[in-house]
Structure formats: structure tokens, C-alpha cells
């Protein structure tokens, strides 16, 4: 009997070690990818090792950690869904024994823990550490900046905890709930993270419909459009004349220094436009006439399927209370039953839709005027902007599993602390969320695909001069050019 107990303890120990190694390897891959992404956009600085360089490097490592956690939150639900289907298809396979419910639950708990850590500790520390200079009268240096950062963090913690305590007291003025607020670890932090997840869900609700309609324009910029009723040779010739004219003006000796900078920017813009036109001219026929329509049809199909799934989920919510999102704590539930009606095919479709919604939410986030200042630029993004981008992406990615389950994109139950959010059990909040998403997404798509018809109607009625539409206009005369491109010399 004792030998059996020792064997069981050894098996549990080895399984835990194996799970930690797998989690470490997955996180290491995400960390490397995140570091490459951030260094691609971070503004290049001098190699001189000084105090600011050390502070920037520490902030860079913290931002990389946060972005890696965001990537883990994005892959969390797809990884769980595909793991469930693999365990159903190969239940006795020796080579996938490491893929079990304990590993999946551990990943959900780690992502939840690290999300809280990054959101409430690491990112505020990185920002205050970057902006700190040390208290007045104290000796300047790293220690003084660290001391000021910790003081600011302490004051921020008191402010946030006090605001959450007051908000909870106003919303639920109950003696039991008031006493539970004193439990910092079991109630206070999960309640605070629940509020942040609700804000993230609302942010996704605002960004995703905008991003779904914006994705068509983004892919149109990345791909080569078909050349219909356009003379690319004429456009290239006109831009070539503009380039030569600007080059002659720059080579003249009578131009002031300030005006030279403006002409240089115009010349770079014209050269970029010339490169795009030459790329369109050199593109093959299948790339112009086949790839672009196929990609546009795929985007339209994905958006339509997402809206239809949300509409079906609204009907399920009205007739079946089991459609409400809920959490699960059963570690043995992974690999027992398929949560997809059509098996692995539907699971793959759900995963594709989740990645599509996440990409659309990021595109929509940077398309909003309120957050345009956070748009990263290659080799020219400050660390403060990178911190803002990492926090925003962390909030969006942490709310993605909750949004996917709330909208009915998947039936996979939320695990760990993601299933403990208070607002998930409110029927009216969940129903309103689904209806708002379906209505706003439909309106954004209708506005997107009817904009061309609306502009033609305004042009036919002679109202285009009132600037009611956003058509490309000629900068000098204010009239529409022949094919929407600038041809002024």
C-alpha cells in the first residue's frame, strides 16, 4: 500500500514537472516573438550605456513580458478547443498523454495570474519608472528612481482599491458583500479583474465592428487591386514628372531650410506612391484578378458567419438558459465530449473566427480617433507609446475568450478565473452585448459597402462640392480627378 502511494506521488510529481516545462517552452516562444515585434517598432537609441538606457531596457523587458502574456491569452481558447478535439480523436495515444485537463487548467490559471500581474503591477511600474527622476533633494540615480516608482505605485494602489471599494458599496450595499471586500486575494482582486474584463469586453464591442469593416481597406492596401478602367502607365508618367520637378526644386540654391524639409517629405510620399503603382504594374494576372477577389470574399464570408452565429446565439439565449456563458472547474472534463456540433471542422472554423475577431479588434482599435496616437511606427515608437500599446492589447486579448463565449462563437466553457466574472451571470447584460454586436457590425458593413454608391449619388446630384463624402480630391482645384489619383504637377 505504501509502495502504491509512493508511485502515485512520483507520477504526480513527474506530471507537474512536465506541465511546468511545457508552459515554460510555450511562454519562451511567445517571449521571443514579442521581443522581435517590439524591437522592430521601438525607436533606436544610442548604444551609450547610461541611466536612461538601463531604464529603457528594463521597461523593454517588462513590455515584452506583457505582450507575451497577451499572446498567451489569444491562443488560450483555441489551444483548449483543439486539445479537446485531439483527445477525443486519439484517447489512448501514448504520445499525447501530456495533453490533459490538468495542463489546460494550469494554462488558464497562469494566464489569468500573469494578466493581473502585468496590468496592475508591471505596466504601471514600467511607466512610472520611465517617467521618474527621483525626489527633489535626493541623490540622482537608479535607486532614487526606483524609490519614487514604488511610492507612486503605492499611491496608485490606494486610489484604485478605494475606487473599487466605493463602487462596490454603491452597487451592492449588502453587509456580506461589504465584509467580503476585506478579503484581498479571494474577492478583491478577482472583483477588480472582473471590472477590467467588462471594460475590455466593452472596448472589444466598440473596436471589433469598426475593425471588421476596416479590414477590407487594410487588405486592399496590402494586396494588388485589379486594374479596371485605369491607365497605370499614364499615372506612373505623371508621378515621374512630379518627382523630377520636386528634385529640381530641391537642387536649387534659393530654397530656405524649413521649406527644404517640407519638399523632402513630399518627395518621399511621391516615391512611395510611385513604388505602389510600379508594383501594381508588375503584378501577375492571377494576383490582380484572382487573389484580391478571393481574399475579399473570404473576409465577407467570415464576417457574415460571425454575425449569423451571434444571431443564433441570441435565439438560444431567449429559449435556452444553458446558452449563458459559465465557468467550469472540472479538470477531467477535457476530452470527454465534443462541444462542436460538426466536430473538428466546426472547431477549426471557430478558431479561425476567433483569430479574425482579434485581428479586427486590433485594427479597429487603432482606427478609432481616440487611440490613433498609440499607432506604432517602425523604428520610431517611444517606450511610453509601447507601454500604452501593450496595456491596450493585454486588455483586448484578456477579454477575447470571454467575448467569444458570450457571443456564442464557441461553446467551450471558461476555465479558471475567467469563469468567475460576476457580470457573466446577468442575462440582460449578455443579451444586450449580443444584440449590440450584431446591430453595430451590420451597420458598419452596410455603411462600408454603400459608401461608393452614396458618393456616386452625391456626385450625380452635384452635392460632392459640399464635401459630404470623403472621396479623393484634387488638392488645388477641389474637383475629382479622373480616376481618384492626384495628377497635379
Amino acid at each position: 500500500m505504501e509502495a502504491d502511494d509512493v508511485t502515485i506521488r512520483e507520477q504526480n510529481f513527474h506530471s507537474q514537472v512536465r506541465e511546468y516545462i511545457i508552459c515554460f517552452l510555450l511562454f519562451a516562444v511567445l517571449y521571443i516573438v514579442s521581443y522581435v515585434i517590439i524591437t522592430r517598432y521601438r525607436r533606436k537609441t544610442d548604444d551609450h550605456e547610461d541611466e536612461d538606457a538601463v531604464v529603457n531596457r528594463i521597461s523593454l523587458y517588462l513590455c515584452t513580458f506583457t505582450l507575451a502574456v497577451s499572446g498567451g491569452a489569444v491562443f488560450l481558447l483555441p489551444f483548449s478547443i483543439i486539445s479537446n478535439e485531439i483527445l477525443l480523436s486519439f484517447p489512448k495515444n501514448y504520445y499525447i498523454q501530456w495533453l490533459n485537463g490538468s495542463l489546460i487548467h494550469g494554462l488558464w490559471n497562469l494566464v489569468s495570474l500573469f494578466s493581473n500581474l502585468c496590468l496592475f503591477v508591471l505596466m504601471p511600474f514600467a511607466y512610472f519608472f520611465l517617467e521618474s527622476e527621483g525626489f527633489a533633494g535626493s541623490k540622482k540615480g537608479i535607486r532614487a528612481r526606483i524609490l519614487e516608482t514604488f511610492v507612486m505605485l503605492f499611491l496608485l494602489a490606494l486610489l484604485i482599491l478605494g475606487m473599487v471599494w466605493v463602487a462596490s458599496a454603491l452597487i451592492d450595499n449588502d453587509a456580506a458583500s461589504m465584509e467580503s471586500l476585506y478579503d484581498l486575494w479571494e474577492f478583491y482582486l478577482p472583483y477588480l479583474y472582473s471590472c477590467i474584463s467588462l471594460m475590455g469586453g466593452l472596448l472589444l464591442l466598440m473596436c471589433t465592428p469598426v475593425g471588421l469593416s476596416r479590414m477590407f481597406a487594410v487588405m486592399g492596401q496590402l494586396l494588388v487591386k485589379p486594374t479596371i478602367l485605369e491607365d497605370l502607365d499614364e499615372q506612373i508618367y505623371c508621378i515621374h514628372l512630379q518627382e523630377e520637378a520636386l528634385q529640381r526644386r530641391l537642387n536649387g540654391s534659393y530654397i530656405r531650410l524649413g521649406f527644404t524639409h517640407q519638399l523632402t517629405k513630399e518627395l518621399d510620399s511621391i516615391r512611395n506612391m510611385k513604388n505602389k503603382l510600379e508594383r501594381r504594374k508588375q503584378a501577375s494576372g492571377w494576383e490582380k484578378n484572382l487573389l484580391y477577389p478571393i481574399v475579399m470574399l473570404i473576409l465577407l464570408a467570415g464576417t457574415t458567419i460571425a454575425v449569423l452565429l451571434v444571431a443564433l446565439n441570441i435565439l438560444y439565449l431567449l429559449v435556452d438558459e444553458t446558452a449563458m456563458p459559465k465557468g467550469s472547474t472540472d479538470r477531467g472534463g477535457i476530452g470527454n465530449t465534443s462541444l462542436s456540433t460538426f466536430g473538428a471542422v466546426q472547431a477549426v472554423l471557430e478558431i479561425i473566427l476567433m483569430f479574425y475577431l482579434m485581428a479586427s479588434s486590433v485594427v479597429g482599435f487603432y482606427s478609432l480617433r481616440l487611440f490613433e496616437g498609440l499607432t506604432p511606427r517602425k523604428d520610431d515608437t517611444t517606450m511610453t507609446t509601447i507601454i500604452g500599446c501593450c496595456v491596450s492589447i493585454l486588455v483586448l486579448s484578456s477579454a477575447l475568450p470571454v467575448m467569444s463565449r458570450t457571443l456564442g462563437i464557441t461553446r467551450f466553457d471558461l476555465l479558471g478565473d475567467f469563469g468567475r466574472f460576476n457580470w457573466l451571470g446577468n442575462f440582460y447584460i449578455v443579451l444586450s452585448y449580443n444584440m449590440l454586436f450584431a446591430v453595430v457590425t451590420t451597420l458598419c458593413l452596410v455603411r462600408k459597402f454603400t459608401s461608393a454608391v452614396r458618393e456616386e449619388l452625391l456626385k450625380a446630384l452635384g452635392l460632392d462640392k459640399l464635401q459630404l463624402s470623403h472621396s479623393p480630391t484634387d488638392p488645388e482645384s477641389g474637383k475629382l480627378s479622373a480616376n481618384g489619383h492626384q495628377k497635379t504637377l
Side-chain angles (χ1 to χ4, degrees):
M1 188 66 179
E2 294 181 358
D4 294 338
D5 293 339
V6 171
T7 304
I8 293 175
R9 286 197 299 267
E10 289 180 353
Q11 291 178 354
N12 293 333
F13 174 76
H14 289 306
S15 63
Q16 289 180 359
V17 171
R18 183 170 61 247
E19 291 174 7
Y20 290 147
I21 293 175
I22 294 172
C23 294
F24 175 78
L25 292 176
L26 293 175
F27 184 78
V29 173
L30 291 174
Y31 190 90
I32 294 172
V33 174
S34 302
Y35 183 80
V36 172
I37 293 174
I38 291 181
T39 52
R40 179 181 177 84
Y41 289 96
R42 184 173 67 100
R43 178 178 294 174
K44 304 302 180 183
T45 57
D46 298 332
D47 296 333
H48 182 65
E49 189 72 17
D50 56 358
E51 180 181 327
D52 291 334
V54 175
V55 172
N56 284 327
R57 189 180 301 113
I58 294 175
S59 300
L60 172 64
Y61 295 153
L62 295 179
C63 290
T64 305
F65 183 86
T66 302
L67 191 59
V69 173
S70 303
V74 172
F75 286 98
L76 195 58
L77 194 53
F79 181 77
S80 302
I81 293 174
I82 201 67
S83 300
N84 185 63
E85 297 299 328
I86 290 175
L87 291 175
L88 282 173
S89 302
F90 309 99
K92 302 298 182 181
N93 196 318
Y94 173 77
Y95 296 101
I96 61 172
Q97 293 299 316
W98 57 272
L99 196 61
N100 49 37
S102 177
L103 174 64
I104 303 300
H105 277 265
L107 289 174
W108 282 75
N109 291 328
L110 285 177
V111 170
S112 176
L113 175 63
F114 287 153
S115 298
N116 283 280
L117 180 66
C118 294
L119 195 60
F120 300 122
V121 179
L122 298 185
M123 285 296 94
F125 177 85
Y127 177 77
F128 289 132
F129 191 44
L130 197 65
E131 299 294 330
S132 63
E133 295 180 356
F135 291 110
S138 61
K139 185 179 179 181
K140 302 299 181 182
I142 297 294
R143 292 184 179 181
R145 299 180 72 162
I146 292 177
L147 178 61
E148 180 184 354
T149 302
F150 276 113
V151 171
M152 294 298 297
L153 281 177
F154 178 73
L155 296 177
L156 179 64
L158 290 180
L159 177 63
I160 293 178
L161 294 179
M163 290 174 60
V164 173
W165 196 89
V166 173
S168 177
L170 292 176
I171 295 174
D172 190 9
N173 191 9
D174 183 43
S177 62
M178 296 291 290
E179 291 180 0
S180 62
L181 282 174
Y182 295 103
D183 193 350
L184 181 65
W185 186 258
E186 292 295 330
F187 183 83
Y188 211 123
L189 290 179
Y191 181 81
L192 182 59
Y193 191 58
S194 178
C195 297
I196 298 297
S197 72
L198 180 59
M199 294 174 57
L202 295 177
L203 185 61
L204 278 176
L205 182 62
M206 181 172 56
C207 298
T208 307
V210 177
L212 289 174
S213 61
R214 179 68 179 161
M215 284 291 289
F216 294 92
V218 172
M219 296 306 297
Q221 295 174 0
L222 297 177
L223 300 176
V224 178
K225 297 182 180 180
T227 54
I228 302 175
L229 300 178
E230 285 187 277
D231 190 353
L232 293 179
D233 292 329
E234 179 188 356
Q235 296 179 30
I236 293 175
Y237 176 71
C238 293
I239 289 184
H240 181 68
L241 293 179
Q242 294 182 23
E243 183 182 4
E244 288 184 348
L246 286 175
Q247 191 66 50
R248 284 195 298 268
R249 296 175 67 182
L250 279 173
N251 293 334
S253 58
Y254 57 88
I255 298 179
R256 297 189 303 271
L257 181 61
F259 195 57
T260 303
H261 180 67
Q262 181 181 356
L263 288 178
T264 304
K265 292 179 63 177
E266 293 181 5
L267 184 61
D268 292 338
S269 176
I270 288 176
R271 285 175 177 173
N272 291 333
M273 191 181 302
K274 180 182 177 181
N275 293 333
K276 291 179 181 179
L277 290 175
E278 290 178 349
R279 180 174 178 268
R280 292 182 62 186
K281 183 181 178 180
Q282 296 173 1
S284 59
W286 73 270
E287 185 179 359
K288 292 187 292 186
N289 303 322
L290 188 61
L291 181 61
Y292 181 82
I294 288 177
V295 172
M296 292 297 110
L297 288 176
I298 291 175
L299 292 179
L300 182 60
T303 306
T304 305
I305 292 173
V307 174
L308 290 177
L309 287 177
V310 175
L312 289 175
N313 189 56
I314 293 175
L315 295 178
Y316 286 144
L317 287 172
L318 294 175
V319 299
D320 188 6
E321 62 181 10
T322 59
M324 288 286 294
K326 60 182 182 298
S328 175
T329 57
D330 185 14
R331 292 180 176 266
I334 305 295
N336 292 336
T337 57
S338 178
L339 300 175
S340 304
T341 307
F342 300 100
V345 177
Q346 184 176 348
V348 173
L349 179 62
E350 292 174 355
I351 293 173
I352 293 174
L353 285 178
M354 289 177 200
F355 287 130
Y356 179 48
L357 290 179
M358 184 62 198
S360 301
S361 65
V362 174
V363 171
F365 176 80
Y366 289 114
S367 299
L368 296 176
R369 294 182 180 180
L370 184 62
F371 304 108
E372 281 183 351
L374 292 177
T375 304
R377 294 173 177 83
K378 184 181 177 181
D379 297 332
D380 193 29
T381 307
T382 62
M383 282 305 303
T384 306
T385 305
I386 290 177
I387 291 173
C389 291
C390 291
V391 171
S392 304
I393 294 177
L394 178 62
V395 172
L396 292 174
S397 59
S398 299
L400 180 64
V402 182
M403 186 192 74
S404 301
R405 182 62 183 92
T406 304
L407 295 178
I409 303 297
T410 179
R411 296 294 173 185
F412 195 90
D413 291 332
L414 301 172
L415 306 178
D417 291 335
F418 287 89
R420 297 173 57 186
F421 298 149
N422 299 332
W423 59 274
L424 289 176
N426 193 313
F427 172 77
Y428 297 102
I429 293 179
V430 174
L431 181 63
S432 302
Y433 194 91
N434 282 262
M435 295 181 67
L436 281 174
F437 182 87
V439 171
V440 175
T441 303
T442 304
L443 290 178
C444 288
L445 289 178
V446 169
R447 181 180 180 274
K448 173 67 179 178
F449 288 104
T450 59
S451 60
V453 178
R454 184 172 63 251
E455 289 172 359
E456 291 298 327
L457 288 176
L458 292 175
K459 181 181 177 182
L461 296 174
L463 300 177
D464 55 320
K465 297 179 181 180
L466 299 178
Q467 297 181 355
L468 297 176
S469 62
H470 300 282
S471 303
T473 56
D474 187 66
E476 292 186 1
S477 62
K479 297 180 181 179
L480 288 170
S481 56
N483 49 19
H485 296 275
Q486 297 178 2
K487 294 185 178 181
T488 18
L489 299 180

